[in-house]
Amino acid sequence: RRSDLAHELAVTRAVCESILGNDSVEDKKTEVGRRLAVIGYEIDLDRQLVTVAHKNILKALHGFLTTDVHAPTSTKALQRLASWGSRYSEICRYMKPFTQALYVAYDGRKTLHAYDLPQSAKVSILVFRVLLSLTSVQERQFSRNLGSYEPRFSPWIIEFDASLSGIGILWYHRERSG
């Protein structure tokens, strides 16, 4: 509750300083609000949305818009695009199928070389341009609902371990009773 805010901030500060020492809490970085940017994402409690932070979406959009799909592209540039695609496809689910083409485009390539993009990567870049724009303008339709992060029961547990010579997999089926 807003009436408890000052007290709770003071208690949190005291706990942090008792563990980490004096001046371990930077007051300029303490934010209060119903919509906050946290590690590149924005959480809006009033609209129950998780979306990409404005600064981050502009940065990613700039990266996708300035990539010339008809010119040779470096592995480093593709890695950056694929990283953004992977990160922001967790917010805008429509991006998910187009991320793989970006990773495949530089798979096995030398880091210092530039090369022509395959058609699938060109299409993915064009689609990302549109979806990032829509995520920025139409947040409600192209962002993720806060309730979608609730833990769900999974009937399967899969554990795996890999080495250079193979992979081992254990599958467990569990009942709702545990």
Side-chain angles (χ1 to χ4, degrees):
R1 295 184 318 205
R2 189 155 306 271
S3 60
D4 298 335
L5 180 63
H7 173 70
E8 292 197 15
L9 284 174
V11 169
T12 303
R13 180 187 186 93
V15 169
C16 290
E17 286 185 343
S18 70
I19 296 170
L20 303 170
N22 293 339
D23 298 326
S24 59
V25 177
E26 178 58 61
D27 289 327
K28 288 186 261 176
K29 293 188 177 183
T30 300
E31 293 188 45
V32 175
R34 303 282 299 163
R35 182 176 177 127
L36 293 175
V38 180
I39 60 169
Y41 300 100
E42 284 188 9
I43 301 171
D44 187 331
L45 295 177
D46 294 329
R47 296 174 63 199
Q48 293 290 298
L49 284 179
V50 179
T51 188
V52 182
H54 185 69
K55 180 178 121 185
N56 291 46
I57 207 161
L58 291 178
K59 190 176 182 181
L61 188 56
H62 179 266
F64 278 98
L65 287 171
T66 57
T67 301
D68 185 354
V69 295
H70 302 295
T73 305
S74 71
T75 301
K76 187 172 182 174
L78 266 176
Q79 287 173 335
R80 188 171 51 251
L81 296 177
S83 175
W84 284 327
S86 182
R87 189 174 315 132
Y88 301 139
S89 67
E90 291 300 318
I91 299 298
C92 178
R93 299 303 203 157
Y94 301 113
M95 296 177 186
K96 206 109 168 110
F98 299 99
T99 304
Q100 182 183 7
L102 299 174
Y103 283 107
V104 170
Y106 71 82
D107 187 33
R109 307 272 184 159
K110 301 247 188 243
T111 306
L112 301 175
H113 294 92
Y115 45 89
D116 291 331
L117 292 171
Q119 187 62 29
S120 60
K122 291 177 182 179
V123 169
S124 290
I125 290 169
L126 297 175
V127 169
F128 267 100
R129 291 173 181 177
V130 172
L131 289 174
L132 284 166
S133 299
L134 288 170
T135 301
S136 178
V137 177
Q138 297 289 327
E139 280 185 341
R140 171 103 23 227
Q141 292 84 1
F142 292 92
S143 293
R144 193 155 168 199
N145 187 304
L146 194 57
S148 68
Y149 288 97
E150 291 180 15
R152 296 190 177 114
F153 175 76
S154 175
W156 293 96
I157 299 172
I158 302 172
E159 295 180 7
F160 64 93
D161 191 16
S163 68
L164 295 176
S165 61
I167 186 169
I169 300 175
L170 295 173
W171 291 16
Y172 300 98
H173 185 268
R174 58 183 206 168
E175 304 293 323
R176 285 204 177 269
S177 62

